[in-house]
Amino acid sequence: MSAGDGDGWAYCDLGHEHWGTYGAAGLLVYHHDPDGGTHILLQHRSRWSHNGGTWGVLGGARDSHESPEATALREATEEAALDGSATVITGTIHDDHGGWAYDTVLASADRLLPAHAVNLESKRVMWVPVDDVPDRKLHPGFAQTWPLARTALGRLVVVVDGANVMGARADGWWRDRAGAAARLRDAIAGRLPRGLSAAALPADLDLPALDRWYPEVVLVVEGQARGIGPAADLRVVAAPGSGDDTIVAEAQAAAATPGDRVIVVTADRELRSRVTAVGAMTTGPRWILGLLDGA
């Protein structure tokens, strides 16, 4: 395994020629403006390149040792000097051609990050308003992916009602609520931020059919569990008073962000009604406990 060992042409099962011995990946970076508009970062491909003259995402061949996410970030840096560390990966779309695949990695940016063409593959790199994308001559692969990607330019935020999820198991949590909350925190941190396949999500929720979501996870705790502290890749919110009120506030704030979708994990009927009213979806503790048991 070596850097650059993915460079080369490959054939899919349909007999089509593709660049990337081990497949390829690209980075679809998007930014939601304060006024409600959305921009995505596009590459205008040089005329001499494969599908030259078309517009698409920054990307290229995947090396044998790389994940699609690593490939997409590396290619964006190599082709446009984009600071990938300033983006947050939110999902992936896997386009399998049979024996060869292309992964579109969706990533959010909190501003219009500086980017410019730094090699001969690009004629230019620029932020484009989302509504203007269909007016451009798109790379055939990107044109096929864009309708789905357009519906998924946002985070998936999972807000967990810690007390309710703990209460769904008769495992003695009441003897040490702080300890039980810390165990739940660590179990969630070790599973959900790593990504969720479409099959792992509740089937009854209205979500775009991405192959993988990378959710932002918020665990709300109350009472004796307030002091458990944070964990890597997971935000712990200690409710100053009512846990339900804090969950509603978190759900409302996330749902107000353009493109974001919110799932509140609770079995409490009144709380489910309250968070639904502010734009969130709901599912019960059985879903998340099933994920953790299968981790």
Side-chain angles (χ1 to χ4, degrees), residues 92-93 148 156 191 195-205 207-214 263 287 291:
T92 59
I93 300 171
L148 172 58
L156 177 63
R191 174 64 178 88
L196 296 172
S197 66
L201 289 163
D204 60 336
L205 299 186
L207 293 168
L210 297 187
D211 292 276
R212 201 160 189 83
W213 287 91
Y214 290 90
I263 301 174
W287 169 68
L291 288 177

Side-chain angles (χ1 to χ4, degrees), residues 146-174:
W146 175 241
L148 172 58
R150 175 67 182 88
T151 68
L153 301 180
R155 304 172 302 164
L156 177 63
V157 182
V158 178
V159 182
V160 181
D161 181 351
N164 192 266
V165 172
M166 286 191 298
R169 273 186 171 161
D171 59 358
W173 58 267
W174 53 87

Side-chain angles (χ1 to χ4, degrees), residues 3-294:
D5 66 355
D7 289 344
W9 294 99
Y11 289 88
C12 68
D13 291 349
L14 298 176
H16 300 149
E17 191 176 40
H18 304 276
W19 180 252
T21 305
Y22 302 101
L27 191 70
L28 200 173
V29 187
Y30 59 90
H31 168 69
H32 296 300
D33 307 323
D35 61 2
T38 300
H39 285 74
I40 65 169
L41 188 63
L42 290 183
Q43 173 198 52
H44 192 191
R45 301 173 67 85
S46 297
R47 289 288 178 185
W48 64 266
S49 66
H50 191 230
N51 289 299
T54 61
W55 291 80
V57 297
L58 299 161
R62 177 180 173 185
D63 290 338
S64 59
H65 63 283
E66 284 184 315
S67 67
E69 294 81 5
T71 297
L73 291 169
R74 173 180 58 75
E75 288 285 339
T77 300
E78 293 176 357
E79 295 181 349
L82 183 77
D83 180 8
S85 66
T87 67
V88 177
I89 293 174
T90 56
T92 59
I93 300 171
H94 184 70
D95 184 12
D96 190 349
H97 292 244
W100 188 91
Y102 189 95
D103 289 277
T104 301
V105 178
L106 285 74
S108 66
D110 63 4
R111 62 191 184 280
L112 297 179
L113 297 170
H116 60 278
V118 296
N119 63 23
L120 296 178
E121 294 180 31
S122 305
K123 183 177 180 180
R124 54 182 163 169
V125 175
M126 62 184 293
W127 288 94
V128 176
V130 130
D131 292 338
D132 294 350
V133 172
D135 298 332
R136 298 175 185 267
K137 182 182 178 182
L138 301 181
H139 182 283
F142 179 60
Q144 182 177 346
T145 301
W146 175 241
L148 172 58
R150 175 67 182 88
T151 68
L153 301 180
R155 304 172 302 164
L156 177 63
V157 182
V158 178
V159 182
V160 181
D161 181 351
N164 192 266
V165 172
M166 286 191 298
R169 273 186 171 161
D171 59 358
W173 58 267
W174 53 87
R175 290 192 291 269
D176 180 10
R177 298 186 183 217
R183 289 192 296 275
L184 178 62
R185 173 202 63 197
D186 295 344
I188 294 173
R191 174 64 178 88
L192 267 66
R194 297 202 317 256
L196 296 172
S197 66
L201 289 163
D204 60 336
L205 299 186
D206 182 20
L207 293 168
L210 297 187
D211 292 276
R212 201 160 189 83
W213 287 91
Y214 290 90
E216 176 180 327
V217 186
V218 181
L219 174 63
V220 177
V221 294
E222 58 185 327
Q224 297 174 16
R226 286 194 185 103
I228 65 170
D233 299 321
L234 182 150
R235 186 159 59 91
V236 176
V237 177
S242 164
D244 286 6
D245 290 346
T246 299
I247 291 166
V248 172
E250 289 288 333
Q252 185 170 22
T257 303
D260 285 4
R261 292 169 169 85
V262 187
I263 301 174
V264 174
V265 184
T266 186
D268 186 296
R269 290 185 179 181
E270 182 180 353
L271 179 56
R272 288 167 74 105
S273 177
R274 291 178 66 190
V275 297
T276 299
V278 298
M281 298 172 282
T282 63
T283 193
R286 182 179 298 178
W287 169 68
I288 199 166
L289 292 174
L291 288 177
L292 301 181
D293 288 342

